[in-house]
Amino acid sequence: MKATAIAPANIAFIKYWGRKNHEQFLPLTTTNSMNLAACTAKTTVEFSADYEADEIIVKAPNMEDATLQPQDGDKTAELFKALDRLRAIAGVNLKAKVLSELNFPYKAGIASSAAGIAAFTAATLEALELRDQLLDKAELSRQVRKVGSVSAARSVADGYTEAVLTAEDDCYVRQIAPAEHWDLVDVVAVVGAEQKSISTSQGHLLAETSPFLEARVRYLQEKVIPSLLNGGNPDNPQKVDRPDAVKEAILEKNFNVLADLAEADALNMHAVMLTSTPSVLYLGPKSLEIMRKVWQWRADGLPVFVTFDAGPNAHLITLSQYQGELLKLLKDESEVNYTIASGVGKGVQIVSEHLESTKNG
Amino acid sequence: MKATAIAPANIAFIKYWGRKNHEQFLPLTTTNSMNLAACTAKTTVEFSADYEADEIIVKAPNMEDATLQPQDGDKTAELFKALDRLRAIAGVNLKAKVLSELNFPYKAGIASSAAGIAAFTAATLEALELRDQLLDKAELSRQVRKVGSVSAARSVADGYTEAVLTAEDDCYVRQIAPAEHWDLVDVVAVVGAEQKSISTSQGHLLAETSPFLEARVRYLQEKVIPSLLNGGNPDNPQKVDRPDAVKEAILEKNFNVLADLAEADALNMHAVMLTSTPSVLYLGPKSLEIMRKVWQWRADGLPVFVTFDAGPNAHLITLSQYQGELLKLLKDESEVNYTIASGVGKGVQIVSEHLESTKNG
């Protein structure tokens, strides 16, 4: 009863922030993202009578191997809970050993939890032979979401994906376009990797204290007020479904439209965070420095935009042909510790061969 | 026909952002502030047949004397328009010479325009002998507001003041408490004095493109959702009028309540700015650095909070007895270029003696 899965991290264009139902991990709105081919977690799960307790080990290039404890954080606690829940469904009564190997830094703001949770869920379902939950991608995405993360669920399908929220309060992931459709690149400018003082899970609760959360939900699906300065008439707002508009921009490969929508959405989410009680300040001084530079570079003609997840690192999205130019520009920026560049990748995959060497961690 | 007036800059606790009526410079909500005793503009206005054209000169410690032109910016254009408007009311047909002397840096984010516009308006009304508009403080505040700035109007009354917005769309300023009531100090940490890429006047127009502006107005006067993490019940929001709550905190000298309200309001305003189209980013990297430090200092027990107007400089508000300690802490912060400390000051005043030396600037 052993299986291995690989899953990518992803970067959201329309962010997931705030939940409609905390227990079901239902988001307030549809969100979307692209998978990061270069940032993956490979997770092996084995259930065996040899094990006396569940054990979860994480390996990553930026740290010593870590054995996770349920009290390490909300997300970690959810992994242990998920093992219990899925074992009950499978009628299995064996403890598990989980080994998760990241090929990119852990807890550095590059969605290691998304990659890790997606790979963990798929490997656990395969090891428990819960094929009904595993083989249908929509159902797999629900399972990943229930482990505690809509962000991780977006890593299930290939390429560009969306976590759809239906009128019936179902939330599952489907593909917008395959990875080969459009050669976007995410250049992550890592500016800091401090432990967050407010975890993402706490942040999702605090979102409800922001006076702007309701307005964010309306904004994502309702009116867009044109700028007076740009000659628009504010009495004549347009109706725009922003997740749909992002989807269309991806399908039409319209970089500028995607750039405007994604940047606005990142700022919108961070404005909600900033106005929570207490204020959730994930952006740092260096985040703002990079953001201003990216705006300048784009004004100078380089197709690039910037987005931030729940952390200070800047995700610079460009077309693959400009990746070299962008990396060159970033080399001169002293606030950037290092960069990780990634094209668009596949979603979660079960790895058929079992590497015995991983058995004992 | 010559008069001199002195007026202070001020720092807002509940900010003015967005207008109900742009032509009347009517704010969307009541706002309030404290006057800065140490940051004043002294403005002399003279109408004379000797002058062939209106001339406005500004002197400040951080620059060469400047002769303003109507095209220098929205606020400057408003000054020239105001001269025409007030001359018409007075039935005077003489050109004016205006000399405005700031005792603090010009355009460095310390509300030089508020001090300057308040002093300019009072001196002009006195020189034109428009006593009906001058002698009643509420009416004077309306006149200052109509020159183009609710912020400047708040400098009219003494000490702690509020610009009230009435149900009849009148907006005038009245005192909350005199300067002697409470010895707060504003320590301005000047981190940058770049020219803003989006002027405050443009910002007030752009505010309408933020999906959060309506929610900001509701937030200021309606419900406060308690934090789940702090044990509150989100289904049981409290009704709070935030400008009134600030007023009460001032009257009761409740530093912590004022701190929480004012910091939240500054972040709320900057969240509206950030989510405008285009995004209005007045905070800089150094603003965030200082903000984080202030939060740490307060957590460590120092009574201090931070607020930002439409610019990157941090206004650190403390009690006068802690000013020395705060200045000492700020000395170690390399991102701070210099500091200006100011207690609470009087409002606008007409200066009776005319200094002939200022006549020819």
Side-chain angles (χ1 to χ4, degrees):
Chain A
M1 301 188 71
K2 180 175 176 181
T4 299
I6 291 183
N10 64 65
I11 178 70
F13 299 129
I14 297 292
K15 306 292 185 182
Y16 155 52
W17 197 244
R19 302 186 190 120
K20 197 165 178 179
N21 179 318
H22 290 287
E23 280 166 26
Q24 292 289 313
F25 297 99
L26 270 182
L28 281 166
T29 64
T30 290
T31 85
N32 52 44
S33 61
M34 71 181 224
N35 286 330
L36 303 183
C39 302
T40 59
K42 180 175 174 180
T43 302
T44 300
V45 178
E46 182 176 28
F47 293 89
S48 162
D50 294 350
Y51 304 138
E52 288 180 5
D54 291 330
E55 188 180 41
I56 303 178
I57 295 164
V58 178
K59 288 169 178 269
N62 65 332
M63 61 171 199
E64 301 280 307
D65 296 2
T67 301
L68 302 187
Q69 305 298 333
Q71 62 272 24
D72 284 348
D74 316 317
K75 297 262 190 231
T76 311
E78 294 296 340
L79 298 180
F80 286 93
K81 274 196 248 170
L83 287 173
D84 285 341
R85 187 164 43 82
L86 297 174
R87 260 189 300 243
I89 296 173
V92 167
N93 199 10
L94 301 170
K95 296 297 178 188
K97 182 162 185 173
V98 178
L99 173 68
S100 182
E101 294 171 277
L102 294 166
N103 71 349
F104 63 105
Y106 181 60
K107 286 198 176 172
I110 318 166
S112 55
S113 71
I117 290 174
F120 163 85
T121 309
T124 303
L125 292 172
E126 171 73 9
L128 292 171
E129 294 177 14
L130 292 169
R131 297 278 152 71
D132 287 351
Q133 285 84 354
L134 179 69
L135 296 181
D136 175 62
K137 286 242 164 161
E139 183 51 30
L140 173 58
S141 74
R142 287 186 197 98
Q143 293 296 329
V144 172
R145 190 194 88 221
K146 285 175 189 167
V147 176
S149 171
V150 174
S151 303
R154 289 191 312 246
S155 289
V156 166
D158 288 344
Y160 299 87
T161 77
E162 57 180 346
V164 182
L165 177 72
T166 72
E168 296 77 32
D169 279 354
D170 184 17
C171 175
Y172 64 92
V173 169
R174 64 186 180 198
Q175 186 180 72
I176 294 173
E180 316 78 64
H181 166 72
W182 195 16
D183 57 341
L184 291 187
V185 170
D186 179 9
V187 176
V188 190
V190 178
V191 297
E194 316 151 44
Q195 193 77 18
K196 295 182 208 176
S197 64
I198 295 175
S199 74
T200 309
S201 301
Q202 288 175 310
H204 278 288
L205 288 176
L206 289 177
E208 288 166 26
T209 67
S210 168
F212 296 158
L213 186 64
E214 277 179 50
R216 168 165 173 75
V217 173
R218 280 201 309 279
Y219 147 87
L220 281 173
Q221 289 167 337
E222 276 178 28
K223 62 183 178 181
V224 175
I225 304 167
S227 164
L228 280 176
L229 287 191
N230 296 337
N233 175 2
D235 297 329
N236 187 22
Q238 279 178 278
K239 197 178 150 105
V240 173
D241 181 306
R242 284 173 182 260
D244 264 7
V246 161
K247 190 171 162 175
E248 215 176 286
I250 291 168
L251 292 172
E252 293 175 355
K253 303 181 196 176
N254 189 329
F255 188 86
N256 280 327
V257 168
L258 177 65
D260 287 346
L261 289 165
E263 275 194 354
D265 195 62
L267 292 176
N268 186 291
M269 176 179 75
H270 283 277
V272 170
M273 291 166 164
L274 210 55
T275 53
S276 295
T277 304
S279 181
V280 179
L281 182 62
Y282 286 140
L283 297 180
K286 293 171 178 177
S287 315
L288 290 200
E289 275 182 50
I290 286 288
M291 184 160 81
R292 284 187 165 170
K293 273 162 194 160
V294 169
W295 289 354
Q296 189 53 55
W297 296 337
R298 192 173 164 212
D300 292 344
L302 186 69
V304 60
F305 69 87
V306 62
T307 184
F308 297 89
D309 277 349
N313 297 323
H315 291 255
L316 278 54
I317 313 292
T318 188
L319 295 159
S320 63
Q321 72 209 82
Y322 296 99
Q323 178 182 323
E325 196 175 333
L326 183 58
L327 286 171
K328 226 161 117 189
L329 285 167
L330 284 168
K331 256 203 178 128
D332 295 334
E333 302 306 329
S334 60
E335 66 269 28
V336 178
N337 299 345
Y338 58 92
T339 55
I340 296 175
S342 176
V344 188
K346 289 202 170 303
V348 72
Q349 289 173 283
I350 297 294
V351 180
S352 43
E353 85 276 29
H354 297 307
L355 303 171
E356 279 308 301
S357 65
T358 64
K359 190 172 174 179
N360 296 307
Chain B
M1 300 188 71
K2 180 175 176 180
T4 299
I6 291 183
N10 64 65
I11 179 69
F13 300 129
I14 296 292
K15 305 292 184 184
Y16 156 50
W17 197 245
R19 301 185 190 120
K20 197 164 178 179
N21 179 318
H22 290 287
E23 280 166 26
Q24 294 288 314
F25 297 99
L26 270 183
L28 281 166
T29 65
T30 291
T31 85
N32 51 43
S33 60
M34 70 181 224
N35 286 330
L36 303 184
C39 301
T40 60
K42 179 176 176 181
T43 303
T44 300
V45 178
E46 183 177 29
F47 293 89
S48 162
D50 293 349
Y51 304 138
E52 289 180 4
D54 291 330
E55 189 180 41
I56 303 178
I57 295 163
V58 177
K59 288 170 179 269
N62 64 332
M63 61 171 199
E64 300 281 305
D65 295 2
T67 301
L68 301 187
Q69 306 297 333
Q71 61 273 23
D72 284 349
D74 316 316
K75 297 261 188 229
T76 311
E78 295 296 341
L79 298 180
F80 286 94
K81 274 195 249 172
L83 286 173
D84 287 341
R85 188 162 44 80
L86 297 174
R87 260 189 301 244
I89 294 172
V92 168
N93 199 11
L94 301 170
K95 295 298 178 189
K97 182 161 185 172
V98 177
L99 174 67
S100 182
E101 294 172 277
L102 294 166
N103 72 348
F104 64 105
Y106 182 59
K107 287 198 176 174
I110 316 168
S112 55
S113 72
I117 290 174
F120 163 85
T121 309
T124 303
L125 292 171
E126 171 74 9
L128 292 171
E129 295 176 13
L130 292 169
R131 297 278 152 71
D132 286 353
Q133 285 84 353
L134 180 68
L135 296 181
D136 175 63
K137 287 242 163 161
E139 182 52 29
L140 174 57
S141 74
R142 287 186 196 98
Q143 293 296 330
V144 173
R145 189 195 88 221
K146 285 175 189 167
V147 176
S149 171
V150 174
S151 303
R154 287 191 313 245
S155 290
V156 166
D158 287 344
Y160 299 87
T161 78
E162 58 180 345
V164 181
L165 177 72
T166 72
E168 297 76 32
D169 278 354
D170 183 18
C171 176
Y172 64 93
V173 169
R174 65 186 179 197
Q175 186 179 73
I176 294 173
E180 314 80 64
H181 166 71
W182 195 16
D183 58 340
L184 291 188
V185 170
D186 179 9
V187 176
V188 190
V190 178
V191 297
E194 316 151 44
Q195 193 77 18
K196 295 181 208 177
S197 64
I198 295 175
S199 74
T200 309
S201 302
Q202 288 176 310
H204 278 288
L205 289 176
L206 289 177
E208 289 167 24
T209 67
S210 167
F212 295 157
L213 186 64
E214 276 179 49
R216 168 166 171 75
V217 174
R218 280 201 310 279
Y219 148 86
L220 281 174
Q221 288 166 337
E222 275 179 29
K223 62 182 178 180
V224 174
I225 304 167
S227 164
L228 279 177
L229 287 190
N230 296 337
N233 174 3
D235 298 329
N236 187 24
Q238 279 178 277
K239 198 177 150 105
V240 173
D241 182 306
R242 284 173 183 263
D244 265 5
V246 162
K247 191 172 163 174
E248 214 176 288
I250 291 168
L251 291 173
E252 294 175 354
K253 304 182 195 176
N254 189 331
F255 188 86
N256 280 327
V257 168
L258 177 65
D260 287 347
L261 288 165
E263 276 194 354
D265 195 61
L267 293 176
N268 186 292
M269 175 179 75
H270 283 276
V272 170
M273 293 165 164
L274 209 56
T275 52
S276 295
T277 304
S279 180
V280 179
L281 182 61
Y282 286 140
L283 296 181
K286 293 171 178 177
S287 317
L288 290 201
E289 275 182 49
I290 286 288
M291 184 160 80
R292 284 186 165 172
K293 274 163 194 160
V294 170
W295 289 354
Q296 189 53 55
W297 296 337
R298 192 172 165 213
D300 293 345
L302 186 69
V304 60
F305 69 86
V306 62
T307 184
F308 297 88
D309 277 348
N313 297 323
H315 291 256
L316 277 54
I317 313 293
T318 188
L319 295 158
S320 62
Q321 72 209 81
Y322 297 98
Q323 178 182 321
E325 195 175 336
L326 183 57
L327 286 171
K328 224 161 119 190
L329 285 167
L330 283 168
K331 256 203 176 128
D332 295 333
E333 302 305 328
S334 59
E335 65 270 28
V336 178
N337 299 345
Y338 58 92
T339 55
I340 296 175
S342 176
V344 188
K346 288 203 169 304
V348 71
Q349 288 172 282
I350 297 295
V351 180
S352 43
E353 85 277 30
H354 295 307
L355 303 171
E356 277 309 300
S357 66
T358 66
K359 190 173 175 180
N360 295 309

